[in-house]
Amino acid sequence: MITAELIDRMADKCILSDEDFDAVVLDDRPERIQTVNLHHLALASRSDDFARTIEQADYITADGWPIVSLMRSRGIDPERVTGSEFLERMLAGRQFHGKKAAILGADSHAGYDFRGQLHDSGLHVVFREHGHRGDWQPKRLAKKLRKYDVDLLIVAVTPPFGDMIGEQVRRAGFAGVVVNVGGAVNMVTGHATMAPGWIRAAKIEWFYRLAQEPRRLFRRYILECLPVFVKHVLPHYWRRRS
C-alpha cells in the first residue's frame, strides 16, 4: 500500500545525485540501495511486503521523472539516478578500483561479458550466480559472498523478487553494499535493448520499451502503472506546474 508515510520515508533516504550514489558504494558500510521507479510503486500499491522492502532499504533513488516529481513534492530536488547509469560509470572509470563484486541474476552470457568489460576498471567480479532464482537460499548466498570477500553485490533481477532477495541476503549476514539494478546488466552488455540517449532525455523511455515489447509491457505500464501515476504522482506534478 502506498501511504504518505511511505513517500515521506522515501524522501528521507533519497540519493540526490550520481556522485552521492557512488559515495555510498565506496563507503564500505553494509547498506542497500534500491532504485525506485513507477513500477516499484505499482507493486507496492498491491503488496505490503514489497512496500516494506522499499522502507527497509537504506537508500533509494528516483529512477524516472515520476519519482523525481514525487520527491520534489516532499521538498527535495533529486536527479534521475538509475542502476544502468551506475553500471555505465563502473565500466567507464576507475573509481571502484580494487572492489570485489558479485552478480546475482542476469543472463549468464551477460554476466560473463560484464565481468570481461570491467577488466580495465580495476573492479573484479569474483562471484556470479545466474541459476534458477527458486533455488537461491539467502543464508547460503550470504555465506558464499563472505567466502569470496565480496564488497558489492549487484542484484540484477527485476522487481519484486530482485529487491526482496537483496534484502534477504543482507539480513542473512552479508556485510557489503547491495545495489538493486533490475535488468541493467543485460542492457549495458547489449543483451537487452537500451533506449537511446535522446529518448531518455525526452522522458519517454517507457514508451520506447512499450513499443519494443507491447505484449509483455502493456499490462505493466497501462493497467498497473498508469493508475498509480494518476493517483499519486500527477496531482503533485500539476500543483508544481501551476
Side-chain angles (χ1 to χ4, degrees), residues 6-44:
L6 172 61
I7 298 171
D8 288 341
R9 284 192 282 271
M10 288 170 56
D12 288 341
K13 55 192 176 186
C14 183
I15 290 174
L16 300 181
S17 67
D18 290 336
E19 291 77 14
D20 291 345
F21 189 113
D22 294 351
V24 172
V25 173
L26 292 168
D27 196 32
D28 287 332
R29 289 187 291 181
E31 295 170 319
R32 183 171 70 86
I33 305 173
Q34 181 166 337
T35 57
V36 176
N37 57 32
L38 192 59
H39 183 218
H40 288 84
L41 284 191
L43 292 168

Side-chain angles (χ1 to χ4, degrees), residues 1 21 26-27 33 36 43 55-56 59 125 134-135 141 153 161 180 190:
M1 182 177 180
F21 189 113
L26 292 168
D27 196 32
I33 305 173
V36 176
L43 292 168
E55 292 181 356
Q56 289 165 345
Y59 297 94
V125 176
D135 297 330
L141 287 170
L153 173 62
F161 186 83
N180 296 97

Side-chain angles (χ1 to χ4, degrees), residues 12-174:
D12 288 341
K13 55 192 176 186
C14 183
I15 290 174
L16 300 181
S17 67
D18 290 336
E19 291 77 14
D20 291 345
F21 189 113
D22 294 351
V24 172
V25 173
L26 292 168
D27 196 32
D28 287 332
R29 289 187 291 181
E31 295 170 319
R32 183 171 70 86
I33 305 173
Q34 181 166 337
T35 57
V36 176
N37 57 32
L38 192 59
H39 183 218
H40 288 84
L41 284 191
L43 292 168
S45 72
R46 305 195 310 272
S47 169
D48 289 342
D49 286 342
F50 189 69
R52 278 192 292 273
T53 299
I54 295 176
E55 292 181 356
Q56 289 165 345
D58 297 288
Y59 297 94
I60 67 104
T61 76
D63 182 356
W65 74 265
I67 308 303
V68 170
S69 181
L70 193 60
M71 293 297 95
R72 286 174 178 168
S73 75
R74 293 312 196 260
I76 63 173
D77 189 19
E79 299 173 3
R80 179 176 183 258
V81 178
T82 72
S84 58
E85 290 174 353
F86 165 62
L87 298 185
E88 287 175 338
R89 294 194 303 279
M90 188 182 291
L91 291 170
R94 293 181 61 83
Q95 63 267 48
F96 304 105
H97 180 271
K99 291 288 184 182
K100 295 181 180 179
I103 301 172
L104 179 63
D107 177 87
S108 60
H109 298 293
Y112 178 83
D113 289 347
F114 186 65
R115 182 182 66 177
Q117 291 173 17
L118 281 170
H119 180 268
D120 291 338
S121 75
L123 186 148
H124 307 288
V125 176
V126 296
F127 175 75
R128 293 185 293 138
E129 173 56 69
H130 305 291
H132 191 275
R133 67 187 190 183
D135 297 330
W136 296 345
Q137 298 179 21
K139 288 185 178 179
R140 183 176 297 176
L141 287 170
K143 183 177 180 180
K144 286 185 177 180
L145 295 173
R146 291 194 299 270
K147 175 183 177 181
Y148 289 99
D149 198 25
V150 171
D151 304 302
L152 171 64
L153 173 62
I154 300 168
V155 183
V157 185
T158 54
F161 186 83
D163 305 279
M164 297 176 80
I165 191 67
E167 179 64 25
Q168 291 166 8
V169 170
R170 181 176 72 153
R171 290 180 176 271
F174 174 58

Side-chain angles (χ1 to χ4, degrees), residues 212-225:
Q212 294 288 314
E213 300 181 81
R215 296 183 65 181
R216 184 175 76 88
L217 296 178
F218 179 84
R219 178 179 179 83
R220 177 191 298 183
Y221 287 168
I222 305 303
L223 301 183
E224 297 176 0
C225 291

Side-chain angles (χ1 to χ4, degrees), residues 179-195:
V179 179
N180 296 97
V181 300
V185 170
N186 286 350
M187 287 192 289
V188 300
T189 56
H191 290 262
T193 303
M194 180 180 289

